[in-house]
Every structure is written in structure tokens, then in C-alpha cells.
Amino acid sequence: MGTMQIRDVPDATERTLKARAERDGKSLTAYVRDLLNEEAATPTLDEVMAKIAADEPVPYDPDFVREMMREGHR
């Protein structure tokens, strides 16, 4: 597991994060780690768009839709 150090955090930001961590019953480190994990797990719009662009196109015509529905696809 890596280690990070963040410098030059404004005092108001640190106070806010400490208060939120305390309300959640966490240390500041645990709270910020959870924020970072959540941010890293959420794809960016560019990542989503790249995934969509890389996906195979789905043919769309009424006969294809009817066939898919007959086969139980939604």
C-alpha cells in the first residue's frame, strides 16, 4: 500500500475534513482515504466515453429487437 503526503492544505479545508471525519467516527486519515478510494472507483466522463466508443455497436432494427425479445433478452 502506498503512502501520500499532501501539503499546503488550507486551514479551513483541514478543519472541515476533520469535523466530517469526527462525525463519521473516523480518523482524518481514514476519512480522506475513503474519499480517495471513492474518487478512484468512479470513472471519469472521458473514461466512460472511451468505454462506450470501444464497445461493439448494437444493430438496431425492428426485426433484431423482436428476435432478441423472443430469445428473452432485454
Side-chain angles (χ1 to χ4, degrees), residues 2-74:
T3 301
M4 297 177 82
Q5 184 177 47
I6 302 170
R7 294 187 172 115
D8 302 321
V9 176
D11 291 338
T13 300
E14 183 180 6
R15 282 192 302 274
T16 298
L17 292 174
K18 280 183 178 180
R20 289 178 183 173
E22 191 173 305
R23 276 195 305 271
D24 282 1
K26 298 177 182 179
S27 67
L28 178 58
T29 298
Y31 185 79
V32 172
R33 182 177 46 241
D34 289 348
L35 289 176
L36 291 171
N37 286 335
E38 185 177 328
E39 176 65 24
T42 304
T44 65
L45 179 58
D46 287 342
E47 291 167 339
V48 170
M49 296 307 289
K51 168 93 172 76
I52 290 170
D55 285 346
E56 287 289 321
V58 177
Y60 177 78
D61 63 65
D63 293 332
F64 175 78
V65 173
R66 280 191 280 280
E67 179 64 27
M68 290 291 104
M69 294 192 65
R70 269 196 296 277
E71 292 177 8
H73 298 280
R74 289 185 166 228

